[in-house]
Amino acid sequence: MTRLQISAKLSYRLPMPCTILVQVEAAETPDQIVAQANIDIGPTGDKTSVAAHDGIGTRLWTSQQDRLDISYDALVTIDRANPDFATLPATALNDLPGHAVPYLFNSLYCSVNAFDSVVTGEFSGLEGGPLVAAMADYIKQTMTYGSDADNVQCNAEQSLAARKGVCRDYAHILISMARCANIPARFASTYAPDVQPQDFHAVPEVFLDDRWHLIDPTGMAQPSDMAVIGIGRDATDVSFLTAFGRMNMVEQRVAVTRA
């Protein structure tokens, strides 16, 4: 069992009034409990809570002008085991539950067919959990962790070709590979204590042995140490801020420590 103390502070200037969708709060799930949580959104304080993707976590609508300031603090207790992927079988396609099926298909940043040659060429003879673990190792060994102006909006195929990216790119690549191998895979936004530099952390979640399992191809976080914020098809569904208008970042700080 892990306890995480989480703090996130975001500040943006708004050239004109703007409506914003915020998703920074850790989700209440069967394997994580959120306590001592507080979120302030200002300066107007205007906010409306709505359910997030697949009902995991919450989003907040807010309308602000001039600036947006968000402060979030919480204590999260996580009771989640680290899976042994070597022992996890794939779930047959015709046994997949309805909620897992959409995560077999293409999404904005994850093209399934683009990874046919990689999956068949690099991972022949593997299936289920051993296949997913091998894919994660391949991505970690192949990619260089880092960001620049050229890869901010890259899709999974472009990120792998560039051999460079950040956690969202690593997640998109593994999600695409898993879907190509007929394993449902989705994008999870999380907080984790050992991520460097400290920030929101993106990881894939794969459906094996009739349940979802987190896995981090960057190697910086373990499932037992991740506080999930929300999930989606790819980064589009789980952005911590989506602005329906223009925003200019002033400050963004995330701090996650073991309590």
Side-chain angles (χ1 to χ4, degrees):
M1 190 171 294
T2 304
R3 299 177 74 199
L4 298 181
Q5 185 67 54
I6 297 166
S7 175
K9 298 186 185 301
L10 311 172
S11 182
Y12 287 77
R13 295 199 182 279
L14 311 177
M16 60 187 66
C18 187
T19 298
I20 304 142
L21 190 60
V22 179
Q23 190 170 3
V24 299
E25 297 174 274
E28 286 278 2
T29 69
D31 52 12
Q32 64 184 46
I33 299 171
V34 182
Q36 302 176 19
N38 181 67
I39 185 165
D40 291 321
I41 295 180
T44 70
D46 169 58
K47 63 184 179 185
T48 302
S49 179
V50 294
H53 202 84
D54 282 3
I56 297 175
T58 58
R59 296 174 172 136
L60 298 175
W61 282 112
T62 184
S63 295
Q64 302 287 337
Q65 57 185 6
D66 298 327
R67 64 180 297 128
L68 170 70
D69 294 301
I70 300 173
S71 176
Y72 173 66
D73 296 282
L75 180 65
V76 181
T77 301
I78 301 161
D79 187 8
R80 183 188 304 118
N82 293 321
D84 179 2
F85 282 93
T87 67
L88 294 177
T91 301
L93 288 174
N94 55 356
D95 289 332
L96 288 174
H99 67 82
V101 172
Y103 299 104
L104 289 168
F105 307 133
N106 289 333
S107 58
L108 181 61
Y109 290 108
C110 300
S111 175
V112 176
N113 294 336
F115 285 83
D116 279 340
S117 60
V118 176
V119 171
T120 57
E122 296 289 340
F123 310 109
S124 178
L126 295 175
E127 60 183 24
L131 173 58
V132 171
M135 289 172 173
D137 287 342
Y138 173 86
I139 294 166
K140 184 178 179 182
Q141 294 168 11
T142 302
M143 298 285 287
T144 298
Y145 196 87
S147 181
D148 54 43
D150 293 333
N151 67 5
V152 172
Q153 294 298 327
C154 283
N155 61 29
E157 184 180 10
Q158 294 166 331
S159 296
L160 185 61
R163 296 294 193 267
K164 184 177 183 180
V166 292
C167 57
R168 71 182 288 279
D169 305 301
Y170 283 57
H172 285 154
I173 294 169
L174 182 51
I175 289 167
S176 300
M177 287 182 175
R179 291 177 185 173
C180 182
N182 296 325
I183 297 171
R186 63 191 187 186
F187 188 99
S189 175
T190 76
Y191 293 106
D194 298 323
V195 171
Q196 295 298 327
Q198 282 278 277
D199 206 341
F200 300 100
H201 191 53
V203 298
E205 194 171 29
V206 294
F207 195 83
L208 294 167
D209 197 23
D210 300 322
R211 60 167 296 180
W212 291 102
H213 302 274
L214 296 165
I215 183 169
D216 184 6
T218 74
M220 289 192 287
Q222 293 294 321
S224 59
D225 290 338
M226 297 184 208
V228 174
I229 300 168
I231 57 90
R233 295 163 296 178
D234 56 35
T236 310
D237 292 333
V238 209
S239 173
F240 59 89
L241 287 181
T242 303
F244 295 82
R246 293 169 53 201
M247 300 175 61
N248 299 313
M249 188 178 73
V250 176
E251 180 184 29
Q252 178 176 310
R253 287 186 289 129
V254 173
V256 184
T257 56
R258 292 178 179 85

